[in-house]
Amino acid sequence: MMNKKVHELLNRQINKEFYSAYLYLDFSNFFKAKGLDGFANWYLIQAQEERDHAMLFCQYLQNESQPVTLEAISKPDKVFETGMDVLKAGLEHEEYVTSLINDIYFAAGEVKDYRTMQFLDWFIREQGEEETNANGLISKMELFGSDPRGLYMLDQELGARIYSPPSLVL
C-alpha cells in the first residue's frame, strides 16, 4: 500500500504538470503574437511534454492501484514585456518543478518506497535536461537576441524542434 503522503504528492504533481502545460502554452501564445514562430513552436512542444508528464504520473498511480484525483488547473497569471522575461520565467518554473520532484523523492525515501523512487529517477534526469535547456535559451537570447539577424536565426533553430514523446516505460 502506498504511503498517504507520497500518494498525495504524486496526485498534486499531476496538477502541477498540467499547469506547466498551460504555462508553456501561454508562453507559446506570447511568442506567436510577436511573430516569433520558432519560439512559439519550442514552447508548444514544451506544453505537449508537460501534458505527457502529467499522464505518466496518472498511469503510475493507476498501475499502483491508487486513485487519481484531478484538480482545477490555475490560469497562468504573469504578463510579460519581453521574450527574455518569458525565458527567465521558464527557467524559474523548471527549478520549481525540480523542487517538487525532489520533495516527492524525499518523501518516498523516508518510507522506503523504492518503486516510486525508481519511477521518479526518470523525472529527475528530465528536470536536469529541462533546466539545461532553459539556461541555454537564456544564454542564446543574451548573445543573439538584440541582433535582428541573430534573433531570426535563433527563431529558425527553435522552429526546427519536433515533438518526441517521453520514452519512460512503466
Side-chain angles (χ1 to χ4, degrees):
M1 188 69 173
M2 184 178 285
N3 173 271
K4 181 180 178 184
K5 179 179 179 183
V6 172
H7 178 242
E8 287 172 359
L9 289 171
L10 289 165
N11 249 314
R12 185 179 81 180
Q13 191 62 31
I14 293 167
N15 184 265
K16 298 295 184 179
E17 297 291 340
F18 279 128
Y19 173 79
S20 296
Y22 263 39
L23 182 65
Y24 290 142
L25 182 57
D26 195 44
F27 289 4
S28 178
N29 291 335
F30 172 88
F31 284 115
K32 190 74 169 173
K34 300 287 185 191
L36 293 169
D37 293 344
F39 281 86
N41 174 68
W42 200 89
Y43 277 109
L44 183 60
I45 290 172
Q46 281 300 109
Q48 291 172 312
E49 283 188 4
E50 300 303 338
R51 181 202 62 222
D52 283 351
H53 294 170
M55 297 307 296
L56 287 170
F57 279 98
C58 286
Q59 183 181 1
Y60 178 72
L61 286 176
Q62 291 165 348
N63 289 351
E64 295 298 309
S65 299
Q66 297 297 310
V68 173
T69 305
L70 300 176
E71 302 291 336
I73 301 168
S74 299
K75 173 184 170 183
D77 60 356
K78 291 187 179 181
V79 177
F80 302 104
E81 297 295 321
T82 69
M84 183 60 86
D85 292 339
V86 174
L87 299 181
K88 288 182 178 179
L91 173 60
E92 181 181 311
H93 184 72
E94 289 301 339
E95 290 170 342
Y96 171 66
V97 172
T98 297
S99 75
L100 295 173
I101 300 291
N102 289 342
D103 289 346
I104 303 168
Y105 197 90
F106 180 78
E110 283 188 318
V111 296
K112 297 180 173 40
D113 182 349
Y114 301 117
R115 190 176 319 185
T116 297
M117 292 169 73
Q118 183 180 23
F119 167 71
L120 292 171
D121 285 342
W122 183 88
F123 287 95
I124 290 169
R125 286 188 301 278
E126 175 72 8
Q127 283 309 120
E129 291 175 20
E130 297 291 4
E131 288 184 29
T132 298
N133 290 338
N135 272 310
L137 284 176
I138 291 169
S139 295
K140 288 177 180 181
M141 185 65 105
E142 288 172 343
L143 287 169
F144 309 117
S146 62
D147 173 49
R149 288 175 290 187
L151 182 60
Y152 175 80
M153 297 291 286
L154 181 54
D155 190 56
Q156 293 299 303
E157 175 187 325
L158 297 178
R161 183 181 186 198
I162 58 172
Y163 179 65
S164 178
S167 58
L168 177 63
V169 176
L170 298 179

